[in-house]
Amino acid sequence: MKQTMSPIRDLKPSLASLEEDVMSGLKKDQKSLPPKLFYDAEGSRLFNQITELPEYYLTRAEKGILITHQNDIATFIGSSSTLVELGCGNEEKISLILSGLENVSDYIPVDISLSALQETADKIKNDNPLLSVQGIRADYTESLSFLSGISQNKKVISFLGSTLGNFEAEPRELFLNQLAQELRLEDGLLIGIDLKKPKRILEAAYNDSNGITARFNKNVLQRINKELDANFQLNNFSHLACYNEEDQRIEMYLVSERIQTVEICGESFHFQKGERIHTENSYKFSVDEFEKTLHHIGLRLRKVWTDQENHFAVTYVEPLNV
């Protein structure tokens, strides 16, 4: 019998074309490509491999937290709640949360990718047949207005992983403020943050010995070649990930190993030897700094769960009752 697909509410988010993203980014003084370009089919496959690497502590630490503190997390979420997930990543993490909950009423995944959204919604529905599952296709980085009125029950918005660290400081605070505006006093947020730690651990996580992260980074160029008929020579670029201690972030680049010219959509882009294309920032936090940011926008840090090494934190956040 054919399985019925979970319903999707498609808000038809406006999508910048790959060509627009690439051409505008490479015309900047500091050439850059947005990190969302990582995740074509091959990039997603490589990222799943990265999460299994011994050096990449993030996913392993977060899953450990969700397992170890499952009951406590469930207590904060409460029964008969609506669980909203921003960004469809690995459904294993949301499954760990759902398995600890009693009588959760609804699960609402949100993602800009219709295929990722449908796949996640169907898998969760298949594993939880009594759960009401309805996806929302939207760009949550542009607007969160779709959160208004989605449930009369308490809602808890999940934003796991380290995605918050990909936001620059000002957009991050704006995003958190927009989330705060959509919360009632009884609602909450479940947010993952990557914690500050020694430079050697951070840099090893983004420079694995198997070279998977390098392949993941360089796959952006391969994607541009395939989709925009460009002529990047991947061997002419190297992967660089380094920790910027002043700004407290990992920075990822593709570095030109020689003077070269690349043709994209009829335009020429020149690279000097050593010139960098910036592909991602990943900010690291202390709990105290994160708490101050939250308080500034009317939120309070109610609970923090960390792994044994204190590498990662899952936090429960709620509106200030003022």
Side-chain angles (χ1 to χ4, degrees), residues 152-169:
Q152 296 303 310
N153 300 321
K154 173 184 177 179
K155 67 175 180 287
V156 175
I157 301 167
S158 168
F159 195 52
L160 295 175
S162 57
T163 308
L164 190 66
N166 296 139
F167 288 79
E168 297 299 312

Side-chain angles (χ1 to χ4, degrees), residues 20-35:
E20 290 171 335
D21 284 332
V22 170
M23 303 299 271
S24 62
L26 294 182
K27 288 177 181 177
K28 294 177 181 177
D29 291 339
Q30 166 59 74
K31 292 182 174 69
S32 66
L33 293 168

Side-chain angles (χ1 to χ4, degrees), residues 69-79 97 100-102 305:
H69 301 286
Q70 185 183 61
N71 292 337
D72 199 21
I73 291 170
T75 298
F76 275 86
I77 294 174
S79 60
I97 295 171
L101 294 171
E102 292 183 8
W305 300 277

